[in-house]
């Protein structure tokens, strides 16, 4: 063993050297060995630093294995995983689409709640990516983020809505899956994309096809009328007219005529027909899941006359693996109950082979039984005769039950089946005989008088059959029809009384029932036997049997205590019982959606969504009209026009040029045209489409003109576009404005192209932000006009996460130092800007009530109780430590000596300054001391021992995030400068990474200035910053250890809503602080 460990150490050193090598082949070999170690369960976490460095490697294979490694150790070692976040941020900006997608995939796989804001920003940016593959990866990341933090649902729905408008087949399946996971109830998001999804379906990958078909099944059940509602009504009417008498016809004629008149003749919605037409070719898919999905869609949505097309496709799947056969047969068994005629031509396909597994055999039996009718019953029974000779006993038992069901459903073969089952009673196998007895019992209940010989024959079997269920069935038959066998029944009871104590519980209960029935019908012969059996049952171990015996004795044996029930004993025991109906176990499964896990288990699985009922009246079909122009009216003339106009209106797309795929090229412009057409009431002609495109581009140009007031050449163009966007909507006005717009376009086209070279980067950023905004044109325009002009991030590169949704508008940047000025002059300057009522609120500790925490309970401390609080005062020994005030109470009857802190064991980097030793603490006395702890800007607990002269107690102090900082007092101008400095992206830093924004609702009791300030300062040790705006509250602090600034802005909106913004380089602290402040304001 002494040699083994050094070898492991050297091997790891060897791997580190290979990872540090300049050769990709060595790095690849090292990564393969590391991943192999992980697969064998060995710990490779010590290689983390060496592996992380290779994230920047250009070799894709190496990078993939590095990502596999990082995902593996992300949850176990969160601190190490957070170190690699910056590398993924750089990867998100990589020009290679595979690297961007891989970075996002790994980022979303790190299950650390702290990085939720980063994940959200990355997903939002990836959703606007030029590459469909990256957008697909963004759709995959949405459910992962939702499972990590469900509070992000509203923002994720916005991303899903944007991705649903994507026209590429690569994205469609993934975004529908995200939709199903996050917001399946938001059917309104599907309306405008319904036709597009139907048309794309044939080209989507197989996994996406299954997801989309299942979603569209539920959608169609809520938006279209049932295609079979009038058929069922007509069928009922024809049956009544054929079988009913003339009197009934005359009575019901008026009512039927009225009901038919009320029901309009059914006309299938064109969108309903579109779905059925586009899914039908997928029945030929090689993927069994796709075929099954289309089959369930047709079963739930198609008219009865068209459902038959799925039968052949499902029968084809029966040639597949046994697992596929099992699922398909489960669904066929359910379908064959309602739509029997659909599978009758394929009866022989359900014949059982000797090589089939037992569960497949039983399911095929189920289908054959469902398909049995008077024409094919003889063929099916001949098959069943063969099956009974099988060696598989479970299968034989199922076959006997199937024979019983056929006999119940088809009256003309009942006697034949019964005779065949009676012959099986002489079978050598006990299980076959037992199953036959159970089935015969059920069949005899239909015609007991005609089959007394069979009952006598079965009574003789009680000596041989040992299966409890079969013995119980025979006893029940003899007891129920004891009048038909008056001589045999008492003798059977005599035999059963002998073996009563050795019988199973189910048999004992039937013996008691038999004794009671014989006592009521033949008391002379069975009185003593009955009393003997009831006495045995009275002392049985099973309480059910004891209770049954006590109940029956009181019921059948008259005593003084027994009441009126004694008179009705015969009616209770010998009442005519209805014959059991032998039904398929699949009869009620069709309320689950076919093909789902819930249908397979016959129980509602987690995450299952109920299949909606058909609506009584069809919802408005016009909600789906928004996509019609894009799919059915895109002429070549318009395509040519788009090519001419795009460089002028959308420079971001013009710049991408040939590198962008044909599917994704017109994406942003089509989204804009779709959003504006949904808001307009026009009929959707080509000319109106052109006009809408002009409106959107006009809004973009207006936004640019507000920012770039120095360019007078573009001002008349703004006027022309305003005229277009302000159209009233009447046909004559639209035509006139359209002509004017076209003229203006021709006139300004050359001028716009000249200015394009100068303003390409600015226009690109503007068009990008406008396309990634909200879908509603009017809302977007209103937001743009309210927001002040944003500063330029840089002419060469647009930051990946530079989205309008996240980065608040900031004023033009002013160079400022990173050190906070504390000069009295600047403070006074800031104070002059504010109202006089705000000046007393600068000292936050005056507001915050000191919260006390328990360090040691007096029961655990054997009478010694210790509490602590954060005094929010500087620790005199070290300014980088948090001062913790500790109060020690002696609740014992004896003196406590030598109270001290012993052997503090803080985590790496953490420091603890012990309090001076307390030599004596008298009984009932309390001592207060202060100790300092350097938490290293972390909320991890500081562990140490609290010792007395006799005992040691292990205790820990865990700080709230608000206590890790000290208040900073600054002017309003300084606050703004520091906020801009934090918001400005630096090298390798994504924009928005140092800013966290959350919306919240203020309760009624927390809407006054005083209460808001008090709650914020109670949650965090911050200082109030003066503010000129009445609806804004600003606070500032710095972390005690590193001195990093934390800036808090709370802005009250209309009503009770508010927005909380925290700027800090310490992203972890900012995220936790947001939650604490929101919680404090909600109290």
């Amino acid at each position: 063993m002494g040699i083994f460990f050094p070898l492991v150490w050297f091997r790891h050193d060897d791997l580190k050297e290979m990872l540090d090598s300049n050769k990709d082949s060595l790095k690849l070999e090292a990564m393969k060995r590391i991943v192999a170690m992980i697969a064998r369960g060995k710990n490779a976490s010590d290689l983390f630093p060496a592996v992380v460095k290779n994230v920047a490697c250009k070799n894709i294979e190496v990078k993939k294995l590095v990502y596999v490694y990082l995902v593996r150790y992300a949850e176990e070692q969160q601190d190490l995983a957070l170190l690699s976040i910056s590398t993924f941020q750089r990867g998100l900006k990589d020009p290679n689409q595979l690297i961007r997608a891989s970075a996002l995939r790994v980022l979303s796989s790190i299950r650390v709640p702290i990085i939720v804001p980063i994940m959200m920003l990355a997903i939002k940016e990836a959703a606007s990516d030029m590459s469909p593959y990256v957008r697909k990866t963004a759709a995959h990341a949405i459910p992962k983020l939702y499972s990590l933090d469900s509070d992000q649902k509203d923002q994720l729905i916005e991303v899903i809505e944007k991705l649903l408008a994507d026209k590429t087949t690569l994205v469609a399946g993934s975004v529908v899956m995200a939709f199903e996971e996050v917001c399946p109830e938001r059917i309104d998001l599907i309306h405008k994309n319904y036709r597009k999804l139907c048309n794309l379906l044939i080209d989507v990958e197989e996994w996406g096809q299954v997801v989309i078909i299942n979603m569209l099944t539920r959608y169609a059940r809520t938006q279209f009328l049932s295609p079979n509602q009038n058929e069922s009504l007509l069928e009922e009417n024809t049956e009544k007219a054929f079988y009913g008498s003339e009197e009934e016809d005359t009575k019901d004629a008026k009512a039927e005529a009225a009901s038919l008149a009320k029901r309009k003749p059914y006309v299938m919605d064109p969108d309903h027909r579109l779905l059925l037409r586009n899914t039908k070719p997928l029945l030929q898919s090689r993927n069994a899941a796709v075929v099954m999905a289309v089959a369930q869609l047709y079963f739930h949505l198609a008219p009865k006359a068209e459902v038959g097309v799925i039968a052949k496709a499902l029968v084809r799947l029966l040639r597949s693996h046994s697992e596929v056969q099992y699922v398909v047969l489960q669904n066929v068994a359910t379908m064959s109950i309602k739509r029997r005629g659909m599978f009758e031509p394929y009866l022989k396909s359900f014949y059982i082979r000797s090589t089939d597994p037992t569960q497949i055999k039983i399911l095929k039996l189920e289908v054959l039984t469902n398909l049995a009718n008077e024409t094919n019953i003889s063929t099916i029974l001949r098959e069943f005769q063969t099956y009974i000779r099988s060696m598989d006993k479970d299968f034989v038992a199922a076959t006997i039950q199937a024979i019983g069901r056929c006999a119940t459903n088809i009256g003309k073969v009942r006697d034949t089946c019964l005779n065949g089952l009676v012959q099986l009673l002489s079978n050598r196998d006990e299980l076959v005989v037992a199953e036959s007895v159970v089935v015969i019992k059920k069949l005899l209940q239909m015609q007991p008088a005609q089959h007394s010989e069979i009952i006598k024959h079965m009574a003789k079997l009680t000596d041989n059959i040992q299966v409890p269920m079969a013995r119980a069935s025979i006893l029940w038959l003899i007891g129920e029809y004891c009048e038909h066998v008056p001589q045999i029944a008492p003798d059977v009871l005599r035999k059963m009384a002998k073996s009563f104590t050795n019988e199973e519980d189910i048999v004992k209960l039937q013996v008691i029932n038999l004794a009671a029935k014989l006592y009521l019908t033949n008391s002379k012969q069975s009185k003593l036997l009955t009393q003997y059996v009831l006495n045995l049952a009275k002392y049985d171990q099973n309480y059910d049997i004891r209770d049954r015996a006590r109940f029956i004795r009181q019921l059948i044996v008259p005593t003084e205590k027994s009441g009126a029930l004694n008179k009705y004993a015969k009616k209770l025991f010998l009442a005519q019982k209805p014959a059991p109906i032998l039904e398929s176990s699949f009869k009620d499964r069709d309320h689950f959606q076919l093909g789902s896990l819930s249908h397979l288990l016959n129980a509602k699985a987690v995450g299952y969504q109920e299949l909606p009922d058909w609506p009584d009246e069809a919802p408005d079909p016009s909600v789906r009209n928004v996509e019609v122009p894009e799919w059915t009216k895109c002429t070549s003339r318009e395509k040519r026009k788009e090519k001419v106009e795009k460089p002028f209106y959308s420079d971001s797309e013009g710049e991408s040029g040939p590198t962008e795929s044909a599917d994704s090229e017109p994406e942003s412009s089509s989204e804009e045209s779709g959003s504006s057409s949904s808001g307009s009431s026009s009929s959707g002609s080509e000319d109106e489409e052109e006009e809408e495109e002009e409106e959107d581009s006009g809004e973009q140009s207006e936004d640019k003109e507000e920012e770039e007031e120095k360019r007078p050449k573009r001002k008349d163009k703004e006027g022309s576009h305003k005229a277009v966007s302000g159209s009233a909507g009447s046909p004559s006005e639209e035509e006139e404005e359209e002509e004017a717009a076209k003229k203006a376009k021709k006139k300004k086209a050359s001028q716009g192209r000249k200015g394009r070279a100068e303003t390409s980067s600015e226009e690109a950023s503007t068009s990008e932000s406008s396309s990634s905004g909200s879908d509603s044109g009017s809302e977007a325009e209103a937001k743009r006009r309210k927001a002040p002009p944003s500063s330029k991030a840089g002419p060469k590169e647009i930051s990946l996460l530079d989205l309008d949704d996240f980065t608040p508008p900031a004023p033009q940047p002013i160079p400022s130092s990173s050190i906070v000025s504390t000069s009295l002059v600047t403070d006074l300057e800031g104070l002059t800007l504010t109202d006089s009522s705000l000046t007393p609120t600068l000292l936050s500790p005056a507001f915050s009530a000191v919260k006390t925490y328990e360090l040691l309970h007096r029961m655990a401390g054997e009478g010694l109780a210790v509490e602590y609080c954060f005094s929010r005062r500087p620790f005199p020994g070290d300014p980088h430590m948090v001062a913790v005030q500790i109060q020690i109470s002696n609740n014992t009857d004896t003196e406590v000596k030598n109270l001290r802190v012993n052997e503090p064991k803080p985590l790496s980097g953490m420091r603890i300054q012990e309090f001076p030793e307390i030599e004596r603490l008298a009984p009932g006395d309390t001592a207060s001391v202060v100790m300092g702890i350097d938490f290293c800007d972390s909320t991890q607990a500081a562990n140490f021992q609290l010792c007395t002269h006799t005992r040691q107690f292990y205790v820990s102090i865990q700080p709230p995030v608000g206590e890790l900082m000290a208040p900073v007092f600054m002017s309003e101008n300084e606050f703004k400068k520091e906020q801009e400095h934090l918001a400005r992206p630096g090298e390798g830093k994504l924009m928005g990474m140092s800013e966290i924004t959350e919306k919240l609702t203020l309760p009624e009791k927390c809407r006054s200035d005083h209460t808001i300030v008090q709650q914020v300062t109670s949650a965090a040790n911050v200082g109030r910053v003066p503010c000129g705006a009445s609806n804004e509250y600003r606070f500032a602090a710095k972390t005690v250890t590193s001195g990093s600034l934390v800036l808090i802005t709370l802005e009250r909106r209309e009503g009770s809503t508010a927005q909380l913004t925290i700027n800090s380089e310490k992203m972890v602290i900012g995220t936790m602080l947001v939650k604490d402040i929101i919680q404090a304001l909600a109290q």
Side-chain angles (χ1 to χ4, degrees):
M1 292 298 290
I3 300 171
F4 178 75
F5 286 107
L7 284 175
V8 174
W9 173 254
F10 284 127
R11 188 166 68 225
H12 280 212
D13 271 359
D14 182 35
L15 289 173
K16 289 176 183 176
E17 287 177 11
M18 291 170 75
L19 289 170
D20 291 335
S21 168
N22 294 327
K23 294 183 180 179
D24 287 347
S25 58
L26 289 175
K27 290 182 179 180
L28 186 60
E29 180 62 28
M31 285 310 305
K32 285 180 179 177
R33 284 168 58 182
I34 291 168
V35 171
M37 284 170 58
I38 295 170
R40 289 197 297 270
K42 294 184 179 179
N43 185 14
S45 59
D46 57 325
L47 293 166
F48 200 101
V51 173
V52 168
K53 286 189 289 187
N54 289 285
V55 173
C57 180
K58 293 181 181 179
N59 190 309
I60 298 296
E61 295 302 318
V62 174
K63 190 167 286 192
K64 284 180 183 175
L65 293 176
V66 170
Y67 286 149
V68 169
Y69 177 93
L70 294 175
V71 172
R72 168 66 181 80
Y73 284 103
E75 280 191 56
E76 288 182 14
Q77 305 187 24
Q78 296 182 8
D79 293 335
L80 292 175
L82 290 173
L83 294 175
S84 60
I85 294 293
S86 59
T87 59
F88 300 137
Q89 292 171 2
R90 283 195 294 273
L92 290 170
K93 297 191 287 185
D94 196 281
N96 188 330
Q97 60 175 355
L98 293 174
I99 295 175
R100 294 201 300 275
S102 298
L104 178 60
R105 188 179 296 113
V106 177
L107 190 65
S108 61
S109 300
I110 297 175
R111 314 288 295 168
V112 182
I114 298 168
I115 66 164
V116 165
I118 294 182
M119 286 170 63
M120 175 58 73
L121 290 166
I123 289 171
K124 286 214 172 191
E125 179 53 35
S128 306
D129 197 281
M130 188 170 62
S131 165
Y133 181 67
V134 178
R135 299 199 296 272
K136 177 189 178 77
T137 309
H140 286 168
I142 289 171
K144 295 180 186 178
L145 178 55
Y146 181 71
S147 66
L148 189 62
D149 185 4
S150 57
D151 294 336
Q152 306 291 328
K153 183 174 181 178
D154 292 337
Q155 294 185 55
L156 289 174
I157 289 175
E158 292 176 12
V159 181
I160 289 172
E161 187 174 8
K162 182 176 182 179
L163 287 173
L164 279 171
D166 200 301
K167 294 189 212 169
T168 54
T169 54
L170 200 62
V171 180
S174 304
V175 69
V176 171
M177 187 66 204
F179 169 85
E180 290 284 79
E181 288 281 338
V182 177
C183 54
E185 71 283 354
R186 289 290 304 274
I187 292 291
D188 57 297
L189 299 179
I190 304 299
H191 290 323
K192 58 186 177 181
N193 302 299
Y194 172 83
R195 293 172 187 160
K196 180 191 71 178
L197 289 172
C198 288
N199 287 308
L200 283 181
L201 193 56
I202 197 76
D203 296 315
V204 176
E205 80 276 8
E206 293 164 347
W207 175 81
Q209 286 173 344
V210 175
V211 174
I212 293 172
I213 290 169
N214 285 327
M215 185 273 293
L216 290 179
T217 304
R218 289 192 304 108
Y219 177 87
R221 284 290 286 255
T222 61
Q223 300 300 313
F224 308 129
L225 293 177
S226 170
N228 301 313
Q229 57 183 1
N230 289 355
E231 274 184 38
S232 59
L233 186 69
L234 290 169
E235 282 173 8
E236 289 171 13
N237 290 330
T238 53
E239 283 176 12
K240 286 178 185 176
F242 184 81
Y243 293 107
S245 64
E246 291 180 6
E247 292 177 4
E248 289 173 350
D249 287 347
T250 52
K251 287 178 184 178
D252 299 336
K254 292 180 181 178
E256 289 170 2
S259 63
L260 281 169
K262 284 179 184 176
R263 285 182 182 265
K264 298 175 183 177
Y266 175 76
V267 178
M268 184 177 279
D269 191 298
D271 288 328
H272 192 170
R273 174 56 62 197
L274 175 71
L275 177 60
L276 295 174
R277 187 173 63 246
N278 285 7
T279 50
K280 188 177 178 181
L282 295 176
L283 287 170
Q284 300 171 18
S285 173
R286 63 182 179 177
N287 190 308
V290 175
V291 177
M292 192 63 247
V294 178
Q296 64 85 24
L297 180 138
Y298 262 75
F299 183 80
H300 290 304
L301 302 181
K304 282 184 179 178
E306 297 178 29
V307 178
V309 297
I310 67 174
K312 189 174 182 180
L314 291 174
V315 169
R316 174 171 65 84
L317 295 180
L318 295 180
R319 302 189 188 99
S320 186
H321 303 293
S322 58
E323 296 84 2
V324 174
Q325 288 183 51
Y326 181 77
V327 175
V328 171
L329 285 168
Q330 289 259 1
N331 290 278
V332 170
T334 303
M335 293 180 192
S336 59
I337 295 171
K338 282 195 173 181
R339 310 277 167 85
R340 181 188 300 170
M342 188 166 71
F343 293 100
E344 279 180 1
Y346 306 98
L347 185 69
K348 291 185 179 179
S349 299
F350 300 101
Y351 285 177
I352 291 154
R353 299 182 181 89
S354 58
T355 55
D356 286 337
T358 303
Q359 66 268 22
I360 301 294
K361 291 177 180 176
I362 292 171
L363 283 172
K364 283 186 174 180
L365 267 180
E366 183 74 35
V367 176
L368 286 172
T369 311
N370 290 343
L371 297 180
N373 55 31
E374 292 184 357
T375 57
N376 60 21
I377 185 63
S378 56
T379 310
I380 290 174
L381 284 178
R382 276 199 301 274
E383 275 294 304
F384 287 174
Q385 284 175 3
T386 312
Y387 300 160
I388 287 169
R389 301 191 194 104
S390 171
M391 299 298 291
D392 188 343
K393 301 307 172 191
D394 292 335
F395 173 51
V396 172
T399 304
I400 294 169
Q401 290 177 6
I403 293 171
R405 274 182 56 201
C406 289
T408 308
N409 298 334
I410 303 163
K412 76 171 191 177
V413 296
R414 188 172 298 150
D415 292 338
T416 310
C417 292
L418 197 54
N419 292 332
L421 291 170
V422 170
Q423 288 175 10
L424 288 177
L425 295 177
S426 57
N427 195 293
R428 292 179 184 178
D429 190 67
E430 190 180 357
L431 288 171
V432 174
V433 177
E435 199 64 43
S436 302
V437 167
V438 174
V439 175
I440 289 171
K441 170 218 160 190
K442 294 175 180 176
L443 293 177
L444 287 180
Q445 283 184 257
M446 297 176 184
Q447 296 172 328
Q450 299 175 16
H451 302 292
S452 57
E453 289 300 319
I454 295 176
I455 296 173
K456 290 177 185 177
H457 180 64
M458 293 176 72
K460 295 174 186 177
L461 295 173
T462 51
D463 296 333
N464 301 323
I465 293 179
Q466 298 302 320
V467 177
M469 190 65 196
R471 290 173 73 82
S473 298
I474 294 171
L475 292 174
W476 185 89
L477 268 177
I478 294 168
E480 188 66 22
Y481 306 114
C482 55
E483 294 173 353
H484 297 290
V485 283
Q487 296 176 350
I488 295 175
D491 197 49
V492 172
L493 179 62
R494 178 182 62 79
K495 287 182 179 179
M496 300 308 297
K498 283 183 181 179
S499 60
F500 183 85
T501 53
N502 299 323
E503 298 289 348
E504 292 289 332
D505 291 344
I506 190 172
V507 180
K508 287 179 181 177
L509 290 171
Q510 290 306 326
V511 172
I512 296 169
N513 282 350
L514 175 61
K517 290 173 182 176
L518 286 175
Y519 184 88
L520 293 171
T521 56
N522 188 1
S523 60
K524 289 181 182 179
Q525 285 184 297
S526 58
K527 184 174 181 180
L528 292 172
L529 271 174
T530 303
Q531 289 179 353
Y532 175 69
V533 168
L534 290 175
N535 284 332
L536 286 174
K538 184 178 179 181
Y539 300 105
D540 196 87
Q541 290 182 350
N542 189 303
Y543 58 84
D544 281 337
I545 295 167
R546 296 198 299 271
D547 286 352
R548 179 73 64 88
R550 203 174 292 120
F551 166 70
I552 285 177
R553 187 190 294 275
Q554 292 295 322
L555 193 59
I556 63 175
V557 182
T559 58
E560 294 176 1
K561 293 181 181 179
S562 60
L565 271 178
N566 191 20
K567 301 174 186 177
Y568 304 104
K570 268 197 176 185
K571 289 185 178 179
L572 285 171
F573 278 99
L574 302 173
Q576 189 70 29
K577 297 174 181 65
I581 301 169
L582 299 176
E583 292 180 339
S584 169
S585 59
F586 289 84
K587 186 179 180 184
D588 296 321
R589 283 206 193 184
D590 58 346
H591 65 277
F592 290 117
Q593 186 172 353
L594 294 185
S596 63
L597 178 62
S598 299
H599 176 268
L600 192 73
L601 302 174
N602 198 21
K604 190 172 181 180
V606 177
Y608 173 73
Q609 293 156 31
E610 294 283 354
L611 195 64
D613 294 323
W614 292 104
D616 296 327
E617 293 183 6
D620 182 18
S622 64
V623 292
R624 292 182 292 278
N625 286 345
V626 290
E627 287 292 329
V628 171
E630 294 181 359
W631 285 101
T632 62
K633 298 186 179 181
C634 189
T635 62
S636 58
R637 183 170 64 81
E638 280 186 4
K639 286 179 182 176
R640 286 197 303 271
K641 184 175 177 186
E642 278 181 13
K643 286 177 184 176
V644 174
E645 289 179 355
K646 271 185 188 176
F648 182 69
Y649 287 105
S650 178
D651 289 336
S652 61
E653 290 171 7
E655 284 171 8
S656 61
T659 60
E660 194 169 345
S661 67
D663 283 333
S664 60
E665 190 173 344
E667 186 181 349
S668 61
S669 62
S670 66
E671 281 176 14
E672 291 165 7
S673 65
S675 64
S676 56
S677 63
S678 64
S680 66
S681 59
S682 59
S683 62
S685 66
E686 295 171 11
D687 293 25
E688 286 162 352
E689 247 187 289
E690 294 163 8
E691 184 177 334
E692 285 159 4
E693 287 179 9
E694 288 165 17
E695 285 176 26
D696 286 334
S697 55
E699 288 174 5
Q700 292 180 16
S701 61
E702 282 174 29
D703 202 12
K704 295 170 197 171
E705 284 157 10
E706 287 177 12
E707 293 180 7
E708 315 267 340
E709 292 178 357
K710 294 179 182 179
R711 300 183 183 177
K713 290 183 181 180
R714 303 178 66 179
K715 294 213 169 175
D716 19 338
K717 185 175 74 173
E718 180 186 356
S720 69
H721 286 301
K722 280 184 180 177
V724 176
S725 61
S727 61
S730 64
S732 60
E733 287 175 355
E734 285 177 0
E735 288 171 10
E736 289 173 9
E737 287 167 357
E738 186 181 339
E739 287 175 12
K742 285 179 181 177
K743 288 177 184 176
K745 233 185 281 177
K746 289 175 183 177
K747 190 174 179 180
K748 300 294 177 184
S750 59
Q751 188 175 347
R753 288 193 189 97
K754 286 176 187 176
R756 183 182 166 212
E758 300 170 6
T759 61
S760 61
S761 62
E762 291 163 14
E763 289 180 7
S765 62
T766 313
S767 63
E768 211 175 296
S769 62
S770 64
S771 65
S772 65
S774 66
D775 288 336
S776 168
S778 59
E779 288 179 11
E781 190 176 353
K783 284 180 184 175
R784 290 192 202 104
R785 285 177 180 170
K786 284 180 186 176
S790 58
S791 61
K792 289 190 288 185
K796 291 183 181 178
E797 181 179 313
I798 299 167
S799 178
L800 255 186
L801 300 181
D802 185 11
L803 299 177
D804 283 351
D805 302 338
F806 293 92
T807 51
Q812 293 293 331
I814 302 167
S816 62
S817 63
S818 59
I819 303 165
V820 181
S821 171
T822 54
S823 66
L824 184 61
V825 179
T826 50
D827 283 346
L828 291 172
E829 278 178 10
L831 288 171
T832 56
L833 296 172
T834 64
D835 191 72
S836 59
S837 62
L838 294 178
T839 47
T841 64
L842 278 172
L843 292 172
S844 62
F847 277 100
S848 55
V850 177
K851 187 175 180 181
T852 307
Y853 304 88
E854 187 175 66
L855 187 65
L856 184 66
H857 192 269
R858 61 187 180 87
M859 297 296 290
E862 299 176 1
L864 192 69
V866 184
E867 293 180 337
Y868 69 94
C869 67
F870 297 93
S871 61
R872 297 193 173 182
R873 291 179 181 144
F875 185 65
D878 190 339
H880 296 297
M881 287 188 171
V882 176
V884 183
Q885 189 165 349
I886 298 177
Q887 189 171 352
I888 307 171
S889 302
N890 183 7
N891 299 314
T892 63
D893 299 330
T894 58
E895 189 177 54
V896 178
K897 299 178 182 177
N898 303 334
L899 267 167
R900 66 196 183 280
V901 172
N902 189 29
E903 295 182 13
K905 295 181 180 178
L907 297 172
S908 59
M910 213 179 272
R911 295 179 296 129
I912 296 178
Q913 180 65 48
E914 302 94 338
F915 59 82
E917 182 178 329
I918 302 172
E919 294 183 358
R920 296 175 185 276
L921 190 63
D925 279 6
T926 300
S928 182
V929 291
V930 177
M931 65 185 295
I933 304 176
D934 182 0
F935 289 103
C936 293
D937 293 345
S938 166
T939 55
Q940 291 181 325
N943 304 310
F944 57 92
Q945 292 178 20
L946 188 64
C947 303
T948 66
H949 67 295
T950 56
R951 288 297 309 274
Q952 291 181 347
F953 305 102
Y954 289 90
V955 292
S956 62
I957 294 177
Q958 186 166 17
V961 70
E963 303 298 339
L964 299 176
M965 50 194 73
V968 171
F969 304 105
M970 59 174 67
S971 67
E972 185 176 18
N973 292 335
E974 287 176 328
F975 185 93
K976 287 181 179 179
K977 288 176 187 177
E978 293 298 336
Q979 196 173 37
E980 286 172 22
H981 176 72
L982 286 170
R984 190 184 305 123
E987 186 178 352
K989 186 175 80 169
L990 292 173
M991 194 167 205
M993 283 300 138
S994 58
E995 180 172 280
I996 299 162
T997 304
E998 283 287 338
K999 292 180 181 177
L1000 64 147
T1001 305
L1002 296 173
E1004 286 188 17
K1005 58 184 179 182
C1006 189
R1007 292 183 189 173
S1008 66
D1009 293 355
H1010 177 83
T1011 313
I1012 289 172
V1013 174
Q1014 184 175 3
Q1015 293 300 101
V1016 173
T1017 52
S1018 67
N1021 187 17
V1022 294
R1024 178 82 186 275
V1025 176
C1027 180
S1030 60
N1031 63 334
E1032 258 189 38
Y1033 307 90
R1034 291 174 178 165
F1035 306 88
K1038 63 178 179 181
T1039 57
V1040 174
T1041 302
S1042 63
S1044 298
L1045 269 180
V1046 179
L1047 306 179
I1048 304 170
T1049 308
L1050 181 67
E1051 183 184 355
R1052 289 182 62 177
R1053 304 282 178 85
E1054 294 179 1
S1056 60
T1057 58
Q1059 178 172 302
L1060 177 66
T1061 305
I1062 292 184
N1063 296 89
S1064 175
E1065 290 178 355
K1066 298 280 185 180
M1067 186 197 65
V1068 179
I1069 286 181
T1071 306
M1072 298 171 75
L1073 190 59
V1074 164
K1075 292 183 179 178
D1076 285 4
I1077 292 175
I1078 289 176
Q1079 190 176 359
L1081 290 170
Q1083 290 176 354

